[in-house]
Structure formats: structure tokens, C-alpha cells
Amino acid sequence: MFKLLSKESNIFSIPVYIGFLLLIVIIFNILNFNTYEAIVAGITFLGIALGYFCFHSIALNYQTHLPLFLYSFFIFGLYPGNLDIGIAVALLTNSFILLLLTSANEDTRKRSYVLVGSIVALNFIFLPTTWPMAVFVVIHVVATSEKIGLNLFRFLLGIILIVFSYFSVMFFLDFTTWNPDYFPFGKMTLIKDYQSIIPLLPVALMLIYSVYDHFKNYNKKSPISRYKYTFLLVFSLAQLVTTILYMNNNYEYLLLLAFPASIILSRMMRFLPKYWMQEAGLWLIIISLVTFKVGTYFNLF
């Protein structure tokens, strides 16, 4: 299977993956279908579907289908069906941010910071625990921009516009009390029950090895590859901070890590010295995700 996914093949394409995604969303939501769940499922579908196009934008898949295949399996294994609307919006906004910040057009990236700020603010309104994404954007601006002050101003302007609009609408609707949920820093609850995520331990260990292998061979990689991989690692760190601090038993937070994990693992398997290691690694990931899915769906753990 690894050899098939590592080559250009006509039976695999983004529309096929999106069709598979649509099937997953429909199956897991058909039993509790209502207007609210349909809206959340639609937002989730759009966010995850845009993720497939982010692979082309970030261009770290080396013309293979392996990361797209892994991304699909991560979605299958981690998607619970009844997803919180905050997570659904976070998946959608993350995809838009990645598409904007990894655009091949430099002018588009420079002019998108106001929009990125607006998206980050909107994301915070729906899910305040995603505040590390704002830190990620600030780090990206500082590390990549020639005019740091101007681009930070653009980013903050986008945030201010959404915040001002939000408070104006809430005041007009006579919602004048402060909701303490919008201050997430005092509500950090580290996960206490690790039993349910034990099946994902092989995936976690492979991710750790992937990062280690990257820095071990750091000087052998091209400057473009190093830049893009560093961008992906900082993005992953922002999602990881949110997951560690706020997930607890809400395992749908793991969906935020599906996109970067699929790229990191696919790159690691691509550079393994033996074919049997590549094939074994791929099947180990699949088995781990399926086991986690079965365990959480039927409450086996």
C-alpha cells in the first residue's frame, strides 16, 4: 500500500478524498440529525475539505498521496460525529489561515494579515481556547516579514474590527454581561484519564521520532523545505498547546492536530531506509486510529 500511495495514481484525487469525507460526516450524523447538527456538520465538512487543498499550498507531500490518505484516516479515527461548533469553526478557520499564510503569491500573503486577524478573532469568539493560534501568527509575522511593525498592525486591525463588530451586535441585542468563558486562562484542565488514548501511543511515538529525525538531518534539507517544515512545526505547537491545556476528555480536540500530523508522519515514512519499515509504519498508524475509533465509539476503554 505504501508504494501505491507514494506514486501518482489516477484512482486517488482530492474529489475522491472529499467524497470519502462527506460519507464519513453523513454516516456519523444521520442518527442525530437536526438543524443545529446539520450546520455543525456542514462547517466541519468545509473545514476538513479545505485541509486537502492546504497540502498543495504548503507543498510538502512530494507529489504523493500518502499525507492525504493519512489525513483521511485521522479524520475517520478522531471524528466523533457530534462535534462541538467551536471545534468545527476552528477546523474551518485553521484551513483558511494555512491557505493564506502559505500562498505562493507574496503580495497575497502580505495583504492577508488583516483578514487573518479577523479570522483569528472570529475563531476566539467561537472557541476561546484556541488563543495559541494568535501567538502562532505573531511568531510567523516576526519571523518572515520585512515590515514587522506594519504587518503586526494589520493583524491587530483585523482583530479589532471583529471585536468591535461583535460587541456592537451584542450591545444591540441587549447582551451586556461579560461571559467568563471568554477568559480561558483560568480553566486549564490537563487530561487525567489516559486509558482512552492508549491506542494512539504508537502514533505519538512516531511523531516524536519524526521531529527528532528532522532536526538530526536538518542541514541536509533544502532552505525551502526547512522553512516550510518549521512553519508546520510552529503551527503544530499552537494546536498542541490548545489540546494539552483544554482537551481533558474532549477528544475531538485531537482533530486540530490531524493536518500537521499527517504531513509529519508521511515525511518520516518517506525517508525510512527500508520498505518494510515504511509499510509497517503505515499499517501501525491505521490500526492505532481504527482501534481508538472503536474504543471511543463503543466505550471499550
Side-chain angles (χ1 to χ4, degrees), residues 35-263:
T35 303
Y36 174 78
E37 294 294 341
I39 294 174
V40 174
I43 296 173
T44 303
F45 172 77
L46 289 175
I48 298 174
L50 280 176
Y52 286 105
F53 294 95
C54 291
F55 287 101
H56 175 72
S57 179
I58 201 169
L60 282 175
N61 56 339
Y62 296 103
Q63 303 299 318
T64 70
H65 288 274
L66 183 59
L68 283 79
F69 180 82
L70 288 178
Y71 182 62
S72 301
F73 250 96
F74 270 107
I75 299 304
F76 169 77
L78 302 177
Y79 180 61
N82 55 339
L83 199 65
D84 179 80
I85 190 171
I87 300 293
V89 172
L91 291 172
L92 180 60
T93 54
N94 284 354
S95 296
F96 274 118
I97 291 173
L98 285 173
L99 286 172
L100 290 171
L101 295 183
T102 58
S103 173
N105 191 320
E106 187 174 352
D107 290 334
T108 300
R109 293 199 304 270
K110 291 180 179 178
R111 297 172 183 174
S112 65
Y113 286 118
V114 175
L115 179 57
V116 170
S118 301
I119 293 173
V120 168
L122 186 65
N123 194 11
F124 183 86
I125 290 173
F126 279 91
L127 190 64
T129 56
T130 56
W131 59 265
M133 179 55 68
V135 179
F136 158 73
V137 176
V138 171
I139 293 174
H140 176 77
V141 172
V142 173
T144 61
S145 299
E146 296 180 358
K147 300 179 180 178
I148 298 175
L150 177 60
N151 289 330
L152 284 177
F153 172 77
R154 290 170 174 168
F155 175 62
L156 292 175
L157 177 61
I159 294 177
I160 292 171
L161 290 174
I162 293 297
V163 170
F164 180 77
S165 301
Y166 174 75
F167 279 113
S168 298
V169 172
M170 290 298 104
F171 182 79
F172 178 77
L173 296 176
D174 202 26
F175 288 99
T176 56
T177 58
W178 174 257
N179 188 343
D181 290 337
Y182 283 105
F183 190 80
F185 304 103
K187 301 178 177 62
M188 302 174 185
T189 54
L190 299 177
I191 185 171
K192 299 177 181 178
D193 183 14
Y194 294 92
Q195 187 174 0
S196 297
I197 60 174
I198 287 178
L200 296 178
L201 183 60
V203 177
L205 293 176
M206 292 175 71
L207 285 170
I208 294 173
Y209 174 78
S210 301
V211 176
Y212 162 76
D213 183 70
H214 168 72
F215 286 106
K216 180 182 177 182
N217 300 285
Y218 188 79
N219 293 328
K220 299 178 182 179
K221 301 181 184 298
S222 66
I224 295 178
S225 178
R226 285 184 292 193
Y227 163 74
K228 291 181 177 181
Y229 201 87
T230 302
F231 172 88
L232 186 68
L233 288 180
V234 178
F235 174 79
S236 304
L237 182 61
Q239 306 308 310
L240 188 62
V241 170
T242 296
T243 302
I244 292 175
L245 294 181
Y246 302 105
M247 179 177 72
N248 199 3
N249 293 325
N250 301 316
Y251 300 122
E252 59 264 29
Y253 269 86
L254 293 172
L255 283 170
L256 299 176
L257 295 167
F259 176 81
S262 60
I263 294 181

